[in-house]
Amino acid sequence: DAEITQSPRHKITETGRQVTLACHQTWNHNNMFWYRQDLGHGLRLIHYSYGVHDTNKGEVSDGYSVSRSNTEDLPLTLESAASSQTSVYFCASSEVGANTGELFFGEGSRLTVL
Amino acid sequence: SQKIEQNSEALNIQEGKTATLTCNYTNYSPAYLQWYRQDPGRGPVFSLLIRENEKEKRKERLKVTFDTTLKQSLFHITASQPADSATYLCALVMDSNYQLIWGAGTKLIIKP
């Protein structure tokens, strides 16, 4: 079965360190997204990609970067982790032109920045 | 300002009754609206979609309504079961760029 996997599921790091969260999907979807989820907030879009070598900033992109070198992967990098980036991060994908626009989510990566 | 609101307080419902979850929005004109279910420690899972020209959509025990005049969507679960307990998220989809704008979710607890 097709799926979307995130790693690591849990990570603790220190302020100032670089962190990369991996996202790998086998749906063969062109669209991929990174969100963060914090208590009391809806999912907030960090970055998204509509295809290989395409990346776009979302509403909360400061301090984060992504790159898309193939269809399957969209790693999220925190250049210099800050305590405000403690959150649960979700990767999602969707099919281009899908009638429903349904997103398929990974299980999340919980990041703690000390 | 633009905002999307879901009841932040948990909704407690007796098993067998109908649970109704609310999603209100202001200053948006969505092309359609999606509902997702999220279990603790898991990613959201798509449940239902309703378009702006549809008043109601059904799937098994689920029903979604969409009132563009009231700027409100209701998500109903009939004959609720403890297994329906989860957080339910609504998301607006804008026609212009198909980006999703998310509510914070409502936690539903179905008591046996």
Side-chain angles (χ1 to χ4, degrees):
Chain A
D1 285 348
E3 60 181 0
I4 180 166
T5 55
Q6 295 184 230
S7 63
R9 294 292 313 278
H10 302 273
K11 185 169 182 67
I12 300 174
T13 191
E14 296 177 342
T15 301
R17 290 194 180 269
Q18 184 180 79
V19 175
T20 296
L21 305 179
C23 175
H24 180 81
Q25 55 100 359
T26 58
W27 291 100
N28 200 33
H29 287 162
N30 278 327
N31 301 339
M32 294 185 73
F33 308 84
W34 273 104
Y35 290 93
R36 61 177 288 173
Q37 187 175 43
D38 303 288
L39 200 62
H41 291 273
L43 289 162
R44 291 184 289 177
L45 185 62
I46 305 171
H47 282 286
Y48 59 100
S49 169
Y50 289 147
V52 177
H53 302 310
D54 175 73
T55 60
N56 305 280
K57 294 181 179 180
E59 65 173 301
V60 290
S61 61
D62 286 350
Y64 304 94
S65 64
V66 293
S67 62
R68 186 91 180 269
S69 58
N70 58 51
T71 300
E72 295 80 17
D73 298 290
L74 186 70
L76 177 71
T77 297
L78 287 69
E79 304 293 346
S80 177
S83 57
S84 60
Q85 295 176 308
T86 292
S87 186
V88 180
Y89 292 85
F90 287 100
C91 181
S93 69
S94 70
E95 186 178 341
V96 172
N99 198 30
T100 67
E102 173 186 354
L103 290 183
F104 296 81
F105 282 86
E107 296 288 51
S109 294
R110 181 176 294 275
L111 176 68
T112 302
V113 183
L114 301 176
Chain B
S1 63
Q2 298 174 315
K3 57 182 179 179
I4 175 169
E5 290 184 333
Q6 295 185 257
N7 196 333
S8 59
E9 293 183 7
L11 182 63
N12 287 276
I13 300 294
Q14 196 66 37
E15 182 178 6
K17 302 292 186 183
T18 296
T20 298
L21 304 166
T22 303
C23 178
N24 294 302
Y25 60 94
T26 57
N27 296 328
Y28 287 114
S29 296
Y32 48 100
L33 190 147
Q34 299 180 350
W35 284 88
Y36 287 75
R37 169 185 173 139
Q38 186 174 23
D39 291 292
R42 308 293 295 273
V45 176
F46 177 81
S47 185
L48 273 176
L49 171 149
I50 188 164
R51 301 184 191 282
E52 60 176 339
N53 60 351
E54 297 175 321
K55 297 295 184 187
E56 182 179 297
K57 202 78 163 286
R58 292 176 184 262
K59 183 174 79 172
E60 298 173 350
R61 295 185 295 112
L62 307 179
K63 184 178 82 171
V64 174
T65 63
F66 193 11
D67 189 325
T68 54
T69 301
L70 291 179
K71 295 187 181 296
Q72 180 181 78
S73 176
L74 300 179
F75 183 86
H76 306 271
I77 305 174
T78 58
S80 59
Q81 304 165 1
D84 296 324
S85 298
T87 295
Y88 290 85
L89 312 175
C90 69
L92 308 183
V93 185
M94 300 297 120
D95 204 13
S96 55
N97 57 13
Y98 295 97
Q99 292 296 330
L100 273 65
I101 301 164
W102 296 84
T106 298
K107 185 175 183 178
L108 176 64
I109 301 169
I110 306 298
K111 297 185 175 180

